[in-house]
Amino acid sequence: MSAESGARGPRPPVERPVVAVPTYNEIENLPAIVAALLALPVAGLRVLVVDDNSPDGTGHLADDLAAESAGRVAVLHRPGKGGLGPAYLAGFAWALANGADAVVEMDADFSHDPDVVPALLDRLRTCDLALGSRYIPGGGVDPAWSRPRRLLSRFGGLYASFILGLPIQDPTGGFRAYRREALEAIDRSRVRSNGYTFQIEMAYAVHRRGLRLCELPIHFKERVKGQSKMTLGIAIEAAWRVWQVKFSR
Ligand SMILES: Nc1nc2c(ncn2[C@@H]2O[C@H](COP(=O)(O)OP(=O)(O)O)[C@@H](O)[C@H]2O)c(=O)[nH]1
Ligand SMILES: [Mg+2]
């Protein structure tokens, strides 16, 4: 399998990127991740926090950060925990309505290194969807991951890519950058998945439009603060949802 797909020539440079950060109980991580993103040497970069009414008050903290950000941080408040997929879809809609020419997805918990954002955006000069990939040379997962967890992640991704004919090694990763055109090209109202399947379905939809996917090696670090919301159930759900995605698109 090749790590690159699709055609077309060079794309215009990204000038108005939005980094969408979904949060559910991330009060310990949010100030630092927002500060790290705002400190990046990327002109025009804005941060959008998509909070699902976190009981720990992350949404209020996000409002405070936005108020002192001179317009570089915005907050989308959703009424309750609706899952990662719907949170991202709302974030994409906000970014497109507010003039973004690219949207980066990343976790709030430092599992995704904010310093890689410029490189991801740079890949959008030749791709429509640039995916952070743990499973190409130069990438990797946290050394603390157990063997079963590594196998589930690696083979889960290979399984999904094989069934869907995706030319990528890590279709479940949540650290990626979309060109505006990629988000506009797909029918986002049809995306029903959550969690891992959301990432798979989005990559599949972009690929099906004949747009170009490319992967950039990243190292996934386990979160230090707060708690993961992913469960084994979500991973198992992904196994059969892949078939639904295949036959519904
Ligand atoms: N808005 C919103 N964010 C969520 C939801 N579930 C998870 N997140 C956020 O999505 C990111 C990834 O979730 P996480 O629990 O770290 O998953 P993991 O990295 O697979 O363990 C984190 O920034 C979470 O706070 C949700 O239902 N709504
Ligand atoms: Mg995480």
Side-chain angles (χ1 to χ4, degrees):
M1 261 187 286
S2 136
E4 316 270 320
S5 69
R8 293 209 299 133
R11 284 81 172 142
V14 168
E15 287 168 346
R16 293 179 56 77
V18 167
V19 181
V21 182
T23 56
Y24 193 76
N25 288 348
E26 299 288 1
I27 200 157
E28 294 172 286
N29 291 309
L30 192 69
I33 195 81
V34 169
L37 289 168
L38 293 180
L40 289 174
V42 178
L45 180 144
R46 286 176 293 165
V47 176
L48 174 67
V49 178
V50 185
D51 185 70
D52 278 10
N53 202 8
S54 297
D56 73 352
T58 303
H60 300 296
L61 178 64
D63 285 335
D64 293 343
L65 295 172
E68 59 201 36
S69 73
R72 293 189 67 201
V73 176
V75 191
L76 209 53
H77 294 282
R78 290 161 33 85
K81 187 165 178 6
L84 202 58
Y88 269 128
L89 291 172
F92 296 154
W94 184 95
L96 295 179
N98 285 274
D101 54 7
V103 184
V104 175
E105 278 184 16
M106 70 184 287
D107 289 6
D109 58 7
F110 285 93
S111 287
H112 301 143
D113 181 356
D115 289 338
V116 175
V117 167
L120 267 181
L121 289 170
D122 204 52
R123 294 305 299 269
L124 293 183
R125 289 200 284 194
T126 52
C127 303
D128 302 294
L129 169 53
L131 300 107
S133 180
R134 298 162 291 183
Y135 303 121
I136 58 173
V141 298
D142 196 293
W145 273 26
S146 68
R147 198 171 160 78
R149 184 161 181 203
R150 281 165 198 270
L151 291 172
L152 184 67
S153 171
R154 180 69 180 114
F155 286 98
L158 282 176
Y159 165 89
S161 282
F162 177 73
I163 288 173
L164 297 173
L166 282 172
I168 51 176
Q169 296 296 316
D170 192 1
T172 62
F175 192 18
R176 33 174 85 177
Y178 296 86
R179 286 201 78 92
R180 178 186 185 93
E181 296 77 11
L183 292 173
E184 284 176 337
I186 63 180
D187 184 355
R188 282 172 286 123
S189 70
R190 283 177 56 199
V191 178
R192 293 273 176 268
S193 314
N194 224 322
Y196 301 112
T197 332
F198 174 74
Q199 309 298 358
I200 295 168
E201 182 168 8
M202 287 295 296
Y204 184 61
V206 171
H207 178 63
R208 291 276 299 203
R209 301 301 298 179
L211 298 173
R212 188 161 195 225
L213 275 52
C214 61
E215 293 185 287
L216 180 84
I218 58 158
H219 281 273
F220 183 94
K221 287 199 298 283
E222 204 39 66
R223 65 159 73 230
V224 178
K225 295 176 178 167
Q227 270 183 1
S228 171
K229 288 103 215 166
M230 290 301 162
T231 60
L232 186 63
I234 294 175
I236 291 168
E237 179 205 358
W240 63 265
R241 276 283 301 153
V242 165
W243 290 97
Q244 274 188 345
V245 167
K246 181 178 173 85
F247 292 111
S248 71
R249 282 198 177 257

